Amino acid sequence: MRSSFELANPLAGLTHEQIERDATEFARTHGLEHLTEELRKGALVAQDPFAFERLAQLTEEDKAILRREITHKWDHPKTLYYMVALCSVAACVQGMDETVINGANLFFPRQFGISDAHDDPNASRNQWILGLVNSAPYLCCAVLGCWLTDPLNRMFGRRGTIFITAFFSGITCIWQGATNSWPHLFAARFVLGLGIGPKSTTVPVYAAECSPAPIRGALVMMWQMWTAFGIALGFVADIAFYFVPDRPGITGLNWRLMLGSAGVPAFFLMAQVYLCPESPRWYMSKNRYPEAYDSLRRLRHHPLQAARDLYYIHVQLEAEKEVEKKSGNRFLELFTYPRNRRATLGSFIVMFMQQFCGVNVIAYYSSSIFSQSGFGDIQAIGASLGFGLINFFFALPAVFLIDKFGRRGLLLTTFPVMSLCLLLIVALGIYLFTVFYSFGEGPVPFTYSAEAFPLKVRDIGMSFATASLWFFNFVVAITFPRLLGAFKPQGAFGWYAAWNFLGFILILCFVPETKALSLEELDQVFSVSTRKHAAYQLRQVPIWVKRNLLRDKTVEKQPPLYDHEAIKTRTYAPQGAGHA
């Protein structure tokens, strides 16, 4: 597709004189005349950010600022890190929303007459109802929540969308704690999906659009890491409220407080979000350029850096508008263009496998699983907390491993091991499974999907990928209680062990590597036919085994599938070009 090349760097090929004239005109027409000099210099730097040493227009002070940006990539204003902290709180809200139900599952089913105990004559029916109640938010995410992301962001901006979704998360947590029947609890949890779905897409986008290019990937990765922390925090809340006794007129106060506790960080998020700057890219999409510059000044140390990023986002947006004039239905283009179709397939597989690897049945039902395996109730919640802590602490190395070993490399390494772990004794198997999940299939799906789609269809592609994730989350959550009742923990985990092995095959054949590739190189990777890619990777398996396991270095390697390794230069990834 030509559009990806048009969007790669709109400043490529222009003379310095032309860029300076364009920057001067840009300042005049957008109410930024007082920044003309900074914008002229910033535009020149944006054309090739690593060639600033050769620019005679820059002072030595300007060059020192840009050198420090390279040598001290974590040195940024406090406002940027406050925004990062806010996004971390949003991720914690997400994680808590997912796991406070885990401890509550030990109590509310008996109170609402849907006990899944084996001696209950309606156990089979009740297991389906329990699954429906647990899965309600993810059903809402798949059919409604994720598809509201685009209109909410267009109308209210990134901060406004986060505020609205935090409100829904907070108020529905209180609502869940006040329910008196399973249909009532189902309704409250369904509405909770309006807080989960749009937030899961908006927060990583907001972090990406505000972050400097050198650290953008690591900051976006923190969504998964702090979601894992929120998952652990949910288990802490389950333990904290486990022994709370009932009060007169209130039955089940402990599980009600468990569910309500997830609202606390949501309300904190609401109170803080407007203290952070809005996404500059969103301001510019609304033609509010002075406000966009003010946002960037709060997020960057020096006016030159803010001017550079402001101008680059501007030319990127203009290029996108030109491409959109030539395009049709963006959703249909996910499937009608071969390059997009392969990116959609790869993103779908990693999102699908994040659910069918089995991690979320542990997140939602681990207390019930441990209880059926012979643990007491409080011991079961304590063992679940162990899962949450492992998930968080082993997510930390993923920030570094994902760029060292690649997205595909981590998945191919961890999926076979995850499959074997699920066949072990329940507690040991869950803990070992979580270790390998946390730096493999945990962080990869959102990172991969953010990279795979071309800029032109990235937003709609991410919405499709995220909706797929939540739909299969719903499928897993609604079916597992019945699966657990029919096959017991060992049999249920054997089912997901088989899916992990199948996931390894699907990733081997249909998920290309995207690590550290420019926009042009990604087009090249996804332009290779699916059949050719799968055949090449299947031929690679025996070669890899002979060379690496049998140590037979005489076996010849296959010729490279792609020739992008010969490309020496990288396309500058602008702030706000997408998720990463």
Side-chain angles (χ1 to χ4, degrees):
M1 287 179 61
R2 176 64 188 163
S3 61
S4 294
F5 292 101
E6 294 170 0
L7 292 171
N9 188 338
L11 298 175
L14 299 180
T15 65
H16 286 182
E17 292 76 14
Q18 180 64 53
I19 290 174
E20 290 186 275
R21 285 197 301 271
D22 291 345
T24 301
E25 180 64 14
F26 166 74
R28 186 186 67 80
T29 56
H30 291 85
L32 300 169
E33 293 94 335
H34 61 293
L35 298 171
T36 300
E37 185 60 26
E38 293 296 342
L39 285 167
R40 285 161 63 97
K41 292 191 289 186
L44 292 172
V45 175
Q47 184 183 37
D48 187 349
F50 301 105
F52 62 85
E53 297 283 5
R54 300 194 299 268
L55 293 175
Q57 295 89 337
L58 301 184
T59 66
E60 189 56 36
E61 179 189 355
D62 294 332
K63 293 179 181 179
I65 291 292
L66 297 174
R67 288 188 202 109
R68 184 172 179 81
E69 187 177 50
I70 296 171
T71 58
H72 297 72
K73 69 177 185 177
W74 294 101
D75 180 18
H76 298 285
K78 292 179 181 178
T79 302
L80 177 69
Y81 288 108
Y82 184 77
M83 182 275 298
V84 172
L86 184 85
C87 292
S88 300
V89 172
C92 286
V93 172
Q94 200 87 348
M96 285 194 73
D97 284 339
E98 293 180 18
T99 55
V100 288
I101 191 69
N102 195 304
N105 280 331
L106 297 173
F107 302 100
F108 78 80
R110 289 193 296 270
Q111 184 174 335
F112 288 165
I114 53 171
S115 172
D116 60 345
H118 295 293
D119 56 356
D120 191 304
N122 296 316
S124 178
R125 165 186 170 274
N126 292 346
Q127 286 159 0
W128 283 110
I129 293 175
L130 179 61
L132 181 65
V133 170
N134 275 270
S135 63
Y138 317 115
L139 174 63
C140 178
C141 287
V143 302
L144 182 60
C146 286
W147 303 106
L148 290 176
T149 302
D150 189 56
L152 283 174
N153 275 275
R154 287 180 184 274
M155 286 187 288
F156 302 107
R158 311 304 188 211
R159 295 182 304 176
T161 300
I162 293 171
F163 180 90
I164 291 168
T165 55
F167 170 78
F168 275 105
S169 290
I171 204 70
T172 51
C173 286
I174 296 174
W175 182 8
Q176 288 179 87
T179 55
N180 53 19
S181 66
W182 74 258
H184 192 186
L185 181 57
F186 169 82
R189 287 184 58 75
F190 185 86
V191 177
L192 175 62
L194 298 178
I196 292 177
K199 182 162 77 270
S200 67
T201 302
T202 300
V203 173
V205 172
Y206 177 56
E209 291 179 344
C210 293
S211 303
I215 62 170
R216 186 183 304 122
L219 295 186
V220 174
M221 275 282 299
M222 287 185 180
W223 168 261
Q224 177 65 29
M225 186 177 73
W226 289 104
T227 298
F229 180 78
I231 287 172
L233 207 57
F235 289 123
V236 171
D238 290 340
I239 293 175
F241 296 116
Y242 180 87
F243 291 107
V244 173
D246 291 346
R247 296 287 190 271
I250 304 177
T251 304
L253 181 59
N254 56 354
W255 69 261
R256 297 179 187 277
L257 290 173
M258 291 176 188
L259 294 180
S261 64
V264 174
F267 289 126
F268 177 81
L269 179 62
M270 288 175 61
Q272 299 295 311
V273 66
Y274 279 103
L275 300 179
C276 290
E278 178 58 271
S279 160
R281 182 180 171 92
W282 183 81
Y283 272 140
M284 293 167 73
S285 71
K286 300 298 182 182
N287 206 33
R288 295 162 64 175
Y289 281 82
E291 292 162 282
Y293 178 77
D294 290 341
S295 280
L296 282 168
R297 276 297 289 122
R298 294 177 64 189
L299 295 164
R300 303 293 184 268
H301 274 311
H302 196 272
L304 176 60
Q305 295 168 310
R308 173 199 63 193
D309 296 343
L310 182 81
Y311 189 72
Y312 198 98
I313 298 171
H314 165 71
V315 295
Q316 193 81 25
L317 286 170
E318 292 301 306
E320 288 177 17
K321 290 176 184 177
E322 289 301 314
V323 170
E324 287 176 2
K325 291 177 182 177
K326 309 171 188 176
S327 63
N329 186 296
R330 290 188 300 152
F331 181 78
L332 292 180
E333 287 184 9
L334 292 177
F335 308 97
T336 55
Y337 283 90
R339 182 260 183 266
N340 293 351
R341 186 166 60 244
R342 295 181 192 110
T344 302
L345 175 63
S347 298
F348 174 82
I349 288 172
V350 294
M351 290 293 196
F352 170 80
M353 285 310 308
Q354 190 177 65
Q355 301 309 314
F356 269 74
C357 73
V359 70
N360 277 335
V361 301
I362 301 172
Y364 307 150
Y365 298 109
S366 60
S367 296
S368 301
I369 294 167
F370 287 127
S371 181
Q372 288 198 24
S373 300
F375 289 68
D377 283 354
I378 189 63
Q379 289 82 11
I381 299 177
S384 298
L385 175 60
F387 155 75
L389 292 174
I390 290 171
N391 188 27
F392 172 65
F393 285 115
F394 280 91
L396 297 174
V399 175
F400 310 100
L401 293 175
I402 196 167
D403 284 324
K404 182 176 178 62
F405 295 105
R407 294 77 169 118
R408 175 182 165 88
L410 285 179
L411 295 178
L412 291 177
T413 303
T414 54
F415 262 103
V417 183
M418 288 159 56
S419 181
L420 293 175
C421 289
L422 289 178
L423 299 176
L424 299 176
I425 298 170
V426 172
L428 176 63
I430 284 177
Y431 288 161
L432 290 177
F433 167 87
T434 307
V435 168
F436 291 97
Y437 166 84
S438 296
F439 59 80
E441 182 64 358
V444 166
F446 276 92
T447 303
Y448 187 91
S449 299
E451 294 170 332
F453 294 104
L455 292 171
K456 177 186 169 188
V457 296
R458 181 168 288 172
D459 287 345
I460 194 70
M462 276 299 295
S463 292
F464 171 79
T466 308
S468 300
L469 174 89
W470 291 120
F471 173 76
F472 288 107
N473 195 332
F474 161 73
V475 171
V476 164
I478 194 174
T479 57
F480 188 75
R482 185 68 194 111
L483 194 67
L484 186 63
F487 297 114
K488 308 299 184 291
Q490 289 80 3
F493 281 127
W495 164 256
Y496 286 108
W499 276 107
N500 277 277
F501 179 76
L502 179 60
F504 171 81
I505 302 298
L506 292 173
I507 290 159
L508 175 70
C509 294
F510 305 117
V511 179
E513 181 59 80
T514 60
K515 182 192 80 169
L517 300 183
S518 69
L519 298 172
E520 296 93 334
E521 290 163 349
L522 286 168
D523 278 344
Q524 181 189 106
V525 166
F526 287 106
S527 293
V528 174
S529 73
T530 303
R531 179 178 298 180
K532 182 178 179 180
H533 179 270
Y536 181 92
Q537 300 302 338
L538 290 172
R539 290 195 303 270
Q540 188 67 18
V541 172
I543 296 174
W544 186 91
V545 170
K546 291 174 183 177
R547 290 184 61 87
N548 294 278
L549 298 184
L550 303 181
R551 315 303 295 176
D552 183 0
K553 300 303 182 182
T554 63
V555 177
E556 292 188 11
K557 297 181 180 180
Q558 293 190 88
L561 185 59
Y562 318 111
D563 59 9
H564 61 253
E565 291 83 359
I567 299 176
K568 301 300 182 183
T569 58
R570 288 282 191 249
T571 297
Y572 173 44
Q575 280 70 17
H579 299 282

